[in-house]
């Protein structure tokens, strides 16, 4: 699929933070997703093994979750692990994977954050600017913000608040399991992002498109000699 190339990836951590501050003004996190129009959903994940990064994008039908397409890309991991700068570690290999994609997903679910990020531009928001499609951040662990009074039942949600700003929700996608931390990436809003993630989680804690992408990304094949 066609990407909107925004910048090169060869940056220092301080340059990366400055770029985030610049790009964050372009992120649109108040646009409801037209859930009735969604037909294809993509899950996006990256695994790292021995300093090699492998990206997986798995496209499924919605609401049936039938497999449509899986694309993989693998390359050396270019950037150190720095909390809040995941985009710069995973972005280059994701760019390569997105360029292989033949489908045109309506929404992308990322294993990572959207605006629930200290600078309000996690990987789902950042790559959303490259995709110019609705993106949603689905974090497994809390990066920033606080929540309270979250019920144990599946579907329970509590606002995720950071510095008096609501940046997403803690969402229970499976009864009595740890919540997911859901936030809009780009061209999405909090209510429709949370609703779509819940609809995409019929059985497991992870939304089905991300679960499939996670499994695919973790299956490393040897690089050609």
């Amino acid at each position: 699929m066609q990407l909107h190339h925004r910048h090169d990836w060869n940056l220092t951590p301080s340059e990366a933070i400055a770029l985030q501050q610049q790009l964050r003004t372009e992120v649109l996190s108040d646009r409801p997703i037209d859930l009735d129009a969604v037909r294809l959903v993509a899950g996006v994940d990256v695994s790292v093994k021995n300093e090699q990064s492998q990206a997986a994008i798995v496209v499924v039908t919605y609401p049936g979750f039938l497999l449509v397409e899986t694309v993989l890309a693998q390359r050396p991991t270019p950037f150190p692990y720095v909390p809040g700068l995941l985009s710069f570690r995973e972005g280059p290999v994701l760019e390569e994977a997105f360029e292989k994609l033949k489908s045109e997903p309506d929404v992308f679910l990322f294993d990572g954050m959207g605006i629930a990020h200290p600078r309000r531009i996690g990987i789902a928001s950042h790559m959303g600017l490259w995709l110019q499609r609705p993106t949603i951040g689905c974090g497994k662990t809390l990066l920033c913000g606080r929540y309270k009074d979250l019920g144990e039942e599946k579907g329970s949600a509590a606002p995720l608040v950071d510095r008096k700003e609501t940046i997403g929700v803690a969402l229970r996608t499976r009864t009595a399991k740890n919540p997911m931390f859901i936030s809009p990436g780009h061209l999405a809003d909090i209510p429709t992002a949370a609703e779509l993630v819940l609809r995409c989680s019929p059985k497991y804690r992870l939304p089905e498109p991300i679960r499939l992408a996670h499994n695919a990304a973790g299956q490393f094949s040897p690089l050609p000699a």
Side-chain angles (χ1 to χ4, degrees):
M1 69 179 296
Q2 186 174 3
L3 292 175
H4 302 259
H5 187 275
R6 301 306 310 269
H7 55 80
D8 293 329
W9 295 105
N10 187 23
L11 301 174
T12 66
S14 60
E15 290 170 336
I17 290 171
L19 180 61
Q20 286 182 328
Q21 299 286 17
Q22 174 188 333
L23 293 177
R24 64 182 284 184
T25 62
E26 300 180 36
V27 172
L28 299 176
S29 57
D30 59 356
R31 300 286 181 89
I33 300 169
D34 183 355
L35 298 179
D36 292 334
V38 175
R39 296 292 178 267
L40 294 178
V41 177
V44 182
D45 195 16
V46 175
S47 289
V48 177
K49 182 180 180 181
N50 298 327
E51 292 306 308
Q52 288 288 323
S53 291
Q54 179 161 268
I57 304 165
V58 177
V59 182
V60 296
T61 61
Y62 174 84
F65 309 117
L66 300 177
L67 182 64
V68 174
E69 184 179 8
T70 300
V71 297
L72 300 172
Q74 191 179 145
R75 61 186 296 158
T77 304
F79 197 87
Y81 176 75
V82 181
L85 296 180
L86 184 66
S87 304
F88 299 91
R89 186 170 168 88
E90 299 187 353
V93 73
L94 283 173
E95 180 183 356
E96 188 175 321
F98 285 128
E99 287 174 342
K100 295 181 179 181
L101 201 61
K102 294 181 172 60
S103 306
E104 297 281 345
D106 300 299
V107 184
F108 292 81
L109 306 185
F110 282 75
D111 184 345
M113 296 299 182
I115 64 166
H117 178 279
R119 288 174 292 280
R120 308 299 185 254
I121 185 165
I123 192 164
S125 300
H126 194 148
M127 297 311 298
L129 296 175
W130 288 64
L131 292 162
Q132 289 301 322
R133 297 287 178 95
T135 60
I136 298 172
C138 305
K140 298 191 291 288
T141 57
L142 187 61
L143 179 62
C144 71
R146 296 183 178 184
Y147 67 96
K148 57 184 180 180
D149 301 328
L150 179 63
E152 289 292 314
E153 292 297 315
K154 177 177 179 174
S156 298
L160 187 60
V161 179
D162 182 52
R163 290 170 282 173
K164 300 183 179 179
E165 179 184 359
T166 300
I167 56 173
V169 294
L171 179 66
R172 195 84 69 185
T173 52
R174 195 173 178 197
T175 296
K177 298 294 184 181
N178 290 336
M180 298 289 293
F181 300 100
I182 309 304
S183 59
H186 181 51
L187 299 174
D189 69 357
I190 293 171
T192 55
E195 179 62 28
L196 184 60
V197 168
L198 192 59
R199 293 184 190 182
C200 286
S201 307
K203 185 175 180 183
Y204 300 100
R205 176 180 177 239
L206 283 181
E208 188 64 8
I210 291 180
R211 191 183 73 84
L212 294 171
H214 176 78
N215 291 343
Q219 295 176 3
F220 279 79
S221 299
L223 290 171

